[in-house]
Amino acid sequence: MKKNAIASAALVLLAGLSSLAAQAEGHYVPGVEGTQAASVPPPGFYYLGYLVNYNINSFRAPGSSDNLPGHNGGTVTALANRFVWMTGHKVLGADYGVEAIVPLMRTSLTINAAGISDSRSGVGDIYVGPLVLGWHGAQWDAVAAAGVWMDSASTTFPASPGKGFKSTMLTGGLTYYFDAAKTISGAALMRFERNGKNDAGFRNGNQVTVEWALAKAFGPMQAGLVGYSQWQTSNDSGVGASLNKSSRHALGGELVYPVAPGLALKGAVYKELSAEAGSTPLPKGSLVRLSLVKAF
């Protein structure tokens, strides 16, 4: 009976485990933004490529911080292609822009308790953001944004790249420079997701993600301490839902190096220090991220 319950819970999880958000119940994955996360670039067209590898060491059992029994793990490797156009127009005193994210990913999952071993590659759910606002002060930057994660990718198999539902995402953040030369900075970026229902009628609760960074410039390079936290802010609903809410917290480090004018490379490593599952099993692991920022 216990094994069947675990298997059922794992199958509910796997209905939404495939995108880069295999580590979260919403679409957005923490750890892709760090140093100066809330600083919007000046007018122009930009490409940001986030290459992420999330190594799942274990799955937390529903409603606890204990691991599911047996050998369970997986990896998610993804290239999230983000396109940003800052139009040069002003809205509410801010630079106005639009953006889109197209993730390509490879997901491998093994959950012995459910008899699942699956690997898939494909295009994940696409994000469309018609509103990006960036403000700039003498020693600060701020951002506000809104958009929708589409239910556009396949959910046929456990490791398919789709989540199986739409999400509305709101963003707000601040970067502050502690000196006039802008060599020391602190940043915090918050994402709020309102998740929709999947085809089975299950709805993950709303989720808040906070990414933060403290960084110091050493010549052209920056190095800093980074981290992220996620909290489920409302209850799940539908078959299998409970009153338990999920959360996770991670700490890491980041390096930023400008390769050439208009081209920068960033690298970060995160270790999840704690994770507690809600209605469904929750992955816990470590994340490595390499990102490229190119201005055109």
Side-chain angles (χ1 to χ4, degrees):
M1 181 68 71
K2 181 178 180 180
K3 183 176 180 180
N4 289 338
I6 293 173
S8 298
L11 287 170
V12 172
L13 167 75
L14 290 169
L17 244 191
S18 22
S19 79
L20 183 56
Q23 54 177 307
E25 282 140 330
H27 280 88
Y28 186 74
V29 177
V32 297
E33 298 289 356
T35 302
Q36 297 171 325
S39 298
V40 174
F45 183 78
Y46 300 86
Y47 169 77
L48 299 89
Y50 305 91
L51 180 61
V52 178
N53 180 265
Y54 180 63
N55 184 44
I56 302 170
N57 300 320
S58 61
F59 286 92
R60 298 305 205 197
S64 77
S65 56
D66 298 327
N67 293 335
L68 287 174
H71 174 70
N72 309 295
T75 59
V76 180
T77 302
L79 174 62
N81 300 284
R82 183 182 179 192
F83 305 92
V84 180
W85 178 35
M86 300 306 298
T87 64
H89 297 292
K90 294 284 188 178
V91 175
L92 301 176
D95 294 332
Y96 169 72
V98 296
E99 64 178 334
I101 301 173
V102 182
L104 308 175
M105 60 200 62
R106 172 72 176 175
T107 303
S108 298
L109 297 171
T110 299
I111 300 184
N112 287 346
I116 292 172
S117 179
D118 190 32
S119 296
R120 303 287 165 181
S121 300
V123 179
D125 292 331
I126 294 173
Y127 175 79
V128 179
L131 180 66
V132 179
L133 299 177
W135 292 268
H136 307 282
Q139 289 185 219
W140 60 270
D141 299 311
V143 65
V148 176
W149 288 96
M150 309 301 290
D151 179 14
S152 57
S154 171
T155 59
T156 305
F157 300 98
S160 291
K163 296 291 288 184
F165 56 85
K166 294 180 181 179
S167 296
T168 300
M169 186 168 75
L170 305 178
T171 298
L174 177 70
T175 297
Y176 183 77
Y177 301 95
F178 294 92
D179 60 331
K182 297 185 176 182
T183 62
I184 304 174
S185 65
L189 188 70
M190 185 191 75
R191 313 274 196 180
F192 171 79
E193 292 176 89
R194 187 185 186 283
N195 299 314
K197 292 182 179 180
N198 62 19
D199 290 341
F202 187 87
R203 178 180 178 273
N204 289 310
N206 299 333
Q207 179 174 276
V208 168
T209 302
V210 175
E211 298 168 285
W212 59 267
L214 293 171
K216 175 73 169 69
F218 301 91
M221 184 179 72
Q222 294 186 72
L225 187 68
V226 292
Y228 61 76
S229 293
Q230 283 187 322
W231 298 273
Q232 183 181 339
T233 60
S234 63
N235 294 331
D236 297 333
S237 62
V239 177
S242 73
L243 298 180
N244 301 310
K245 294 184 175 68
S246 64
S247 63
R248 67 174 69 248
H249 307 279
L251 187 65
E254 181 178 38
L255 291 174
V256 181
Y257 186 77
V259 178
L263 180 64
L265 293 176
K266 301 181 180 182
V269 177
Y270 294 82
K271 175 67 176 178
E272 290 182 342
L273 305 178
S274 65
E276 185 167 351
S279 299
T280 61
L282 184 72
K284 179 178 180 290
S286 57
L287 183 146
V288 177
R289 182 250 302 163
L290 296 173
S291 54
L292 176 147
V293 180
K294 172 61 178 174
F296 294 92

